[in-house]
Amino acid sequence: MEAKGYTQDGTVDLRGRPVLAAKTGRWKACAFLVGYEAFERMAFYGVAANLVVYLTTQLHEDTVSSVRSVNNWSGSVWITPILGAFIADSFFGRFWTFTISSLIYVLGMVLLTLAVSLKSLRPSCSRDGTCNKATESQMAFFFCALYTMAIGAGGTKPNISTFGADQFDDFDAGEKKLKVSFFNWWMFSSFTGGLMATLGLVYIQENLGWAVGYAIPTAGLIASLLIFYLGTPNYRHKVRKTQSPAMEVLRVWAGAIRNRRLRLPEDSKELYELDLRQYVITGKRRVHHTSAFSFLDKAALKDEHCPNPCTVTQVEEAKLVLGMTIIWLTTLIPCTIFAQVNTLFVKQGTSLDRSIAGGSFRIPAASLGSFVTVSMLLSIPLYDRYFVPYMRHRTAVPGGITLLQRLGIGFASHILVTAVACAVEIRRMCVIRAHHIVAPDVVVPMSIFWLLPQYILLGIGDVFVAIGLLEFFYDQSPEDMQSLGTTFFTSGIGVGNFLNGLLVTLVDKLTRRRGGKSWIGNNLNDSHLDYYYAFLMGISVANLVVFVCLARRYSYKEETMEGLPSGGKVKTFAEMESGGVGDSSPLALQI
């Protein structure tokens, strides 16, 4: 295969034929993908960044209900990829799942544009400016459009980034090195789309009309899909080696539970594993045995009591999923912190002075979200070109720092974000008291730019968190479950949004019950957001402590593909970074 110039990882074209390494994949193929990601992020953030404003000013919902609605929708957008990844990994593959889902996504955007454009789908207003609340049918159509988008996102989000990563051959040293930078630049294109939304679209929505503000990303999304399909001859497609990888994981758990009373052998070589020739024939990578989660090893016991045992590789893949799940749980609080960008940070900004140098131009509150994106865009090249080489020289780790260390730094930065947000809110409350402001519609004489530090810090922190999570979950996923593995990243954001909606609702009810005044009321000039930010800071500290403890015990995956031209062991990014190849050596995380 290698002598003919074919890829070494067994990738094929759309018709299932082996592909030439020199003519397919790599950045030549990815160039057709990054455009879609930029326009899709522009569409998503063009809706999400200003959704709380639309709900309160156009559909006339109250603050808590609007925050909850935004969180529930955002959570759905980020959690539906679990289903999309399962469908891709088990049935249709990444390309076709993405193709069908992208059309559903576009349909949702078209319906949403209609919802904000047609008079019959918007609340009516009288000549004196008084507007009615949206009717049930109007609300139903609007949310139907939103959740159509969420369904489409379920199939596009987990598959487009992993499809891009598939364009690089893991068994080619040069291409594997390119893949390390791919995730950074993939997120760069994502952030560029977010920047276009928060800088341009939110201004257009509030000043030129919501219809124009939604029609622009819809048109861009359609154009980017056409570009994506033009690149079809350049794409590489991975062949599924397991019919239903998720069912294989469940089978391991079932076997371990069935054999729970049996004793494990002292030598792990006595556990059931396929002959090496089977791996050569199928091209599947064998995962080495580790001592972690040893209770699952009972699924690989082979004797008269266990007629159909799982292989060691299948057991280790189930261990990988369990290990990622545990790490995933520690990402929920940081994702909750990020959920403030499109909810409470925006509402906080609407209460402040948004004019520039006393002029008539007023900055849309949601536009400050662009500073999250700007700080990310500036930080990614600095991280990739300066931080990584500097740390690589000091640590001898190819990535500068390990993936879990990268996450730990990001989690720690979120503590600083909440501390700064709390301090700024205390300052805002002091100005309110000094000017005896009580009414909710009175502008607080304090510049909106006081909020900039929390946005900028959040952007810098997410260079470590967002990209680190995407790379970590892709790298640590079992071979046939990398789409599903990426959903650990997206579902964490989704659950973080749901969790924020739940926390806002509970805090609102509990504080009203105890003191009569909500921390998060409709009138932010008579609320206590500083208390809520302090609460988020406290749980962020506790979460970081738990993360460090778990990261110290985490074992990275180690796999081998027998019969490779190189004839040896293949390390993942994480193993290369940790410098260890032992069967069960834990990675010590030191922050």
Side-chain angles (χ1 to χ4, degrees), residues 377-405:
L377 291 173
L378 293 176
S379 299
I380 288 174
L382 292 175
Y383 179 89
D384 196 54
R385 301 302 181 191
Y386 298 100
F387 179 81
V388 171
Y390 173 75
M391 292 303 298
R392 182 186 295 145
H393 177 72
R394 294 179 62 88
T395 63
V397 173
I401 55 176
T402 64
L403 292 178
L404 289 177
Q405 285 174 334

Side-chain angles (χ1 to χ4, degrees), residues 128-361:
D128 62 359
T130 304
C131 297
N132 299 318
K133 286 195 67 173
T135 64
E136 290 186 4
S137 60
Q138 289 169 341
M139 293 291 289
F141 188 91
F142 183 78
F143 281 102
C144 178
L146 281 178
Y147 282 92
T148 299
M149 273 186 67
I151 294 171
T156 59
K157 192 61 184 173
N159 292 304
I160 187 64
S161 60
T162 48
F163 185 68
D166 290 345
Q167 306 309 309
F168 301 91
D169 191 342
D170 276 342
F171 305 126
D172 182 289
E175 291 195 20
K176 185 158 184 150
K177 187 176 181 181
L178 288 175
K179 189 193 282 190
V180 175
S181 292
F182 165 75
F183 286 104
N184 287 336
W185 292 105
W186 175 260
M187 294 301 287
F188 186 92
S189 69
S190 176
F191 299 153
T192 301
L195 181 63
M196 290 188 290
T198 51
L199 271 183
L201 288 182
V202 294
Y203 177 81
I204 291 172
Q205 289 164 0
E206 293 189 15
N207 293 275
L208 299 181
W210 294 90
V212 179
Y214 282 6
I216 290 174
T218 302
L221 196 61
I222 295 172
S224 67
L225 280 176
L226 294 177
I227 294 172
F228 171 81
Y229 295 127
L230 286 175
T232 301
N234 301 293
Y235 299 147
R236 299 173 183 176
H237 304 263
K238 284 199 171 181
V239 179
R240 285 187 292 115
K241 302 179 178 68
T242 304
Q243 290 301 311
S244 182
M247 294 304 297
E248 293 289 344
V249 172
L250 295 177
R251 181 168 169 259
V252 169
W253 277 91
I257 294 172
R258 183 178 61 249
N259 301 336
R260 64 187 181 279
R261 290 189 173 89
L262 301 180
R263 296 184 61 181
L264 287 170
E266 294 184 3
D267 189 352
S268 63
K269 293 181 180 179
E270 296 181 27
L271 297 174
Y272 178 69
E273 181 60 291
L274 294 177
D275 187 90
L276 295 180
R277 287 175 296 181
Q278 294 294 322
Y279 288 99
V280 174
I281 293 171
T282 62
K284 182 177 173 63
R285 306 175 198 176
R286 185 178 68 173
V287 184
H288 287 219
H289 178 265
T290 67
S291 60
F293 307 121
S294 58
F295 63 91
L296 289 177
D297 287 337
K298 293 186 177 182
L301 289 172
K302 52 179 182 178
D303 58 25
E304 64 276 7
H305 302 292
C306 310
N308 188 27
C310 299
T311 65
V312 169
T313 291
Q314 291 171 333
V315 170
E316 290 303 315
E317 288 177 341
K319 290 181 181 180
L320 288 172
V321 173
L322 179 56
M324 289 193 300
T325 301
I326 293 173
I327 294 296
W328 175 83
L329 291 173
T330 65
T331 70
L332 300 184
I333 298 302
C335 290
T336 301
I337 304 302
F338 195 81
Q340 310 309 313
V341 171
N342 295 328
T343 53
L344 292 180
F345 282 9
V346 175
K347 290 299 294 180
Q348 196 178 11
T350 58
S351 71
L352 299 175
D353 180 10
R354 294 182 280 150
S355 62
I356 297 180
S360 59
F361 179 79

Side-chain angles (χ1 to χ4, degrees), residues 462-480:
D462 264 42
V463 172
F464 293 88
V465 176
I467 303 173
L469 285 174
L470 184 62
E471 186 175 347
F472 174 79
F473 287 128
Y474 177 86
D475 182 61
Q476 291 299 290
S477 298
E479 181 183 2
D480 288 332

Side-chain angles (χ1 to χ4, degrees), residues 506-518:
L506 289 177
V507 167
D508 176 60
K509 289 183 177 180
L510 290 175
T511 51
R512 284 183 189 276
R513 183 181 303 172
R514 297 189 62 181
K517 181 188 296 184
S518 172

Side-chain angles (χ1 to χ4, degrees), residues 54 510 571:
Y54 187 84
L510 290 175
K571 297 181 186 178

Side-chain angles (χ1 to χ4, degrees), residues 75-112:
S76 299
V77 169
W78 289 105
I79 209 167
T80 50
I82 295 176
L83 178 61
F86 174 77
I87 292 173
D89 284 339
S90 301
F91 302 104
F92 302 125
R94 305 197 228 286
F95 179 84
W96 289 113
T97 303
F98 169 81
T99 297
I100 297 170
S101 300
S102 62
L103 297 177
I104 297 174
Y105 198 113
V106 169
L107 174 62
M109 284 298 299
V110 170
L111 292 176
L112 197 60

